[in-house]
Amino acid sequence: MDVSAQIHAELTKCGVKLAASLPDDWVAPLIERIAADNGIRHVRVAREAEAVAICSGAFFGGVRAVALMGATGLLTCTGELATLNLRHQIPVFLIVSQRGSIDDHRIYQEVQGRRTIPLLQAYDFPYHVVDRPEKIGSIPDAFETCRLQKRPFVLFLTRRLVKGEGAA
Amino acid sequence: MKAREAIDLLARHRGEAVAVCALGMAANEWWAATKSEDSFYMHGAMGFAASFALGLALSLPQAPVWLINADGSLCMNLGCLLTEASQGARNLKHFVVANGVYQTVGGLAMVNDGRTDYAAVARAAGFSRARTIAALDDLERQLPAIAAEDGPSFTVLQVEPETGFLRTPPMTYEGPEMKYRFGRALERRFGIEVFGPQGY
């Protein structure tokens, strides 16, 4: 089973029935896999903060939801995460590519790599890094922690995890 | 028509609809008209009441969901119209109170100053049902049909800009209390589980 299939299986264990997404190339295979699952309502959005608010609305419908996006998209959502989710203590579970990490040699991702985690820490948003296939099984715990802590929770996927060792 | 008159009329025709209100004037006037706890009043995330309402409508298809949006909020997230149109939620009605100003900060002019036809924008985004209503008697005549039609629909309530502050007070609770009042109201009405057995 490939990485996307494993993550998808864990989200199914969590009871996720709605996903809202805007892709970057690292999370694109996972998004397309979820889109093909008739058991999950998939919503393609025009900007990432829509995904945050859609998942927040789904929470009140009693539906477990996940937002998927790249790290740059996450940075665009911080105002909404603060004034909607922090303000009202609404949990939202985000799966995000950890762009700009030490093995991501893209100049346009460099700032995201340096500043994303300090930004999450400033907001007191919990996060968890999944960098090896063996850690994918932690997703249900992460999802429950998100609900319990009643705030945004970011699950990062690393380059090595999603692209494999030695990928260009 | 004035914003208060339009919202009062919506409130009288809402029936069983669950409401999601954009922050500021829309939220304050809806609270003044309904005092309802089965409504979510945005206090932030300007522009994203529309996305919140879409997520709720998709997750609770048995509930009519009315979005009480405002033109300032709509313009902050026009892309929401593409997403709404693509999802085709039959239980979602999108109302926009359009006064052309940022009322909550004292009536300052909005971008593009009255030149934009929001119903035309919605049609171009893929809404098959979109219209603008500017007179109170027209709104009263059309609302029963709007309430009864399949969503997604988009209705612009063209209201008069008012000078200065409206000073309608906001709802009397906020933050986590709003979350729990709204969530518990939906649990009671629809028999769903928003919160788990330990209350979170």
Side-chain angles (χ1 to χ4, degrees), chain A residues 75-138:
Chain A
L75 293 184
T76 71
C77 300
T78 54
E80 288 75 23
L81 289 168
T83 63
L84 176 59
N85 300 89
L86 267 190
R87 177 156 186 75
H88 295 287
Q89 296 184 1
I90 301 169
V92 58
F93 191 72
L94 303 108
I95 294 183
V96 180
S97 60
Q98 194 181 29
R99 299 307 305 254
S101 53
I102 194 169
D103 56 350
D104 186 16
H105 303 157
R106 301 291 187 279
I107 186 60
Y108 45 85
Q109 304 288 354
E110 174 263 337
V111 170
Q112 293 89 312
R114 280 190 294 117
R115 302 318 307 168
T116 301
I117 285 178
L119 186 71
L120 298 183
Q121 290 168 334
Y123 277 114
D124 196 18
F125 295 161
Y127 65 92
H128 180 61
V129 178
V130 176
D131 56 1
R132 296 193 306 278
E134 310 87 83
K135 292 172 75 172
I136 292 172
S138 64

Side-chain angles (χ1 to χ4, degrees), chain B residues 8-181:
Chain B
D8 278 346
L9 204 49
L10 287 187
R12 289 207 296 276
H13 285 82
R14 71 180 290 206
E16 297 297 308
V18 175
V20 177
C21 305
L23 81 172
M25 177 266 288
N28 298 350
E29 296 297 334
W30 187 257
W31 169 253
T34 69
K35 297 289 191 290
S36 57
E37 294 191 9
D38 57 351
S39 301
F40 192 85
Y41 306 88
M42 300 291 277
H43 275 173
M46 185 171 177
F48 293 89
S51 309
F52 185 102
L54 176 61
L56 181 64
L58 294 175
S59 303
L60 205 53
Q62 66 271 42
V65 176
W66 283 19
L67 165 63
I68 316 298
N69 210 352
D71 48 0
S73 289
L74 176 65
C75 289
M76 203 164 277
N77 179 21
L78 271 175
C80 73
L81 297 177
L82 282 67
T83 312
E84 280 176 61
S86 72
Q87 290 299 312
R90 295 175 63 182
N91 56 331
L92 180 59
K93 308 278 163 55
H94 188 154
F95 297 94
V96 179
V97 182
N99 57 9
V101 297
Y102 295 109
Q103 195 74 62
T104 307
V105 297
L108 276 69
M110 266 185 56
V111 62
N112 211 25
D113 204 14
R115 296 182 188 90
T116 306
D117 181 343
Y118 298 116
V121 172
R123 278 191 290 274
F127 280 78
S128 57
R129 286 170 287 279
R131 79 281 289 175
T132 300
I133 302 172
L136 197 63
D137 56 349
D138 280 347
L139 180 61
E140 184 147 31
R141 192 164 51 250
Q142 292 190 50
L143 258 182
I146 292 171
E149 72 186 356
D150 276 347
S153 74
F154 184 87
T155 303
V156 178
L157 311 172
Q158 192 68 54
V159 303
E160 301 164 23
E162 298 177 53
T163 56
F165 298 93
L166 286 183
R167 303 196 189 284
T168 304
M171 64 296 311
T172 52
Y173 54 97
E174 57 85 50
E177 186 177 359
M178 190 186 302
K179 164 190 166 179
Y180 286 105
R181 286 202 197 190

Side-chain angles (χ1 to χ4, degrees), chain A residues 5-166:
Chain A
Q6 290 178 61
I7 297 171
H8 178 206
E10 294 299 326
L11 291 174
T12 302
K13 279 187 203 169
C14 296
V16 167
K17 298 291 184 193
L18 186 147
S21 74
L22 204 158
D24 81 348
D25 65 318
W26 292 14
V27 292
L30 174 60
I31 289 170
E32 289 311 295
R33 187 174 178 88
I34 288 171
D37 180 350
N38 290 331
I40 297 178
R41 179 70 180 242
H42 181 227
V43 184
R44 298 182 197 276
V45 299
R47 62 171 293 180
E48 290 85 351
E50 281 191 81
V52 168
I54 287 167
C55 291
S56 302
F59 172 80
F60 289 99
V63 166
R64 294 181 171 223
V66 61
L68 301 112
M69 63 188 69
T72 312
L74 175 64
L75 293 184
T76 71
C77 300
T78 54
E80 288 75 23
L81 289 168
T83 63
L84 176 59
N85 300 89
L86 267 190
R87 177 156 186 75
H88 295 287
Q89 296 184 1
I90 301 169
V92 58
F93 191 72
L94 303 108
I95 294 183
V96 180
S97 60
Q98 194 181 29
R99 299 307 305 254
S101 53
I102 194 169
D103 56 350
D104 186 16
H105 303 157
R106 301 291 187 279
I107 186 60
Y108 45 85
Q109 304 288 354
E110 174 263 337
V111 170
Q112 293 89 312
R114 280 190 294 117
R115 302 318 307 168
T116 301
I117 285 178
L119 186 71
L120 298 183
Q121 290 168 334
Y123 277 114
D124 196 18
F125 295 161
Y127 65 92
H128 180 61
V129 178
V130 176
D131 56 1
R132 296 193 306 278
E134 310 87 83
K135 292 172 75 172
I136 292 172
S138 64
I139 288 175
D141 283 338
F143 197 91
E144 190 62 20
T145 299
C146 173
R147 286 183 62 90
L148 193 146
Q149 294 203 4
K150 305 184 284 285
R151 69 185 73 195
F153 186 109
V154 178
L155 187 94
F156 283 116
L157 306 181
T158 66
R159 177 179 176 78
R160 186 169 69 169
L161 179 80
V162 297
K163 294 287 193 180
E165 297 284 355

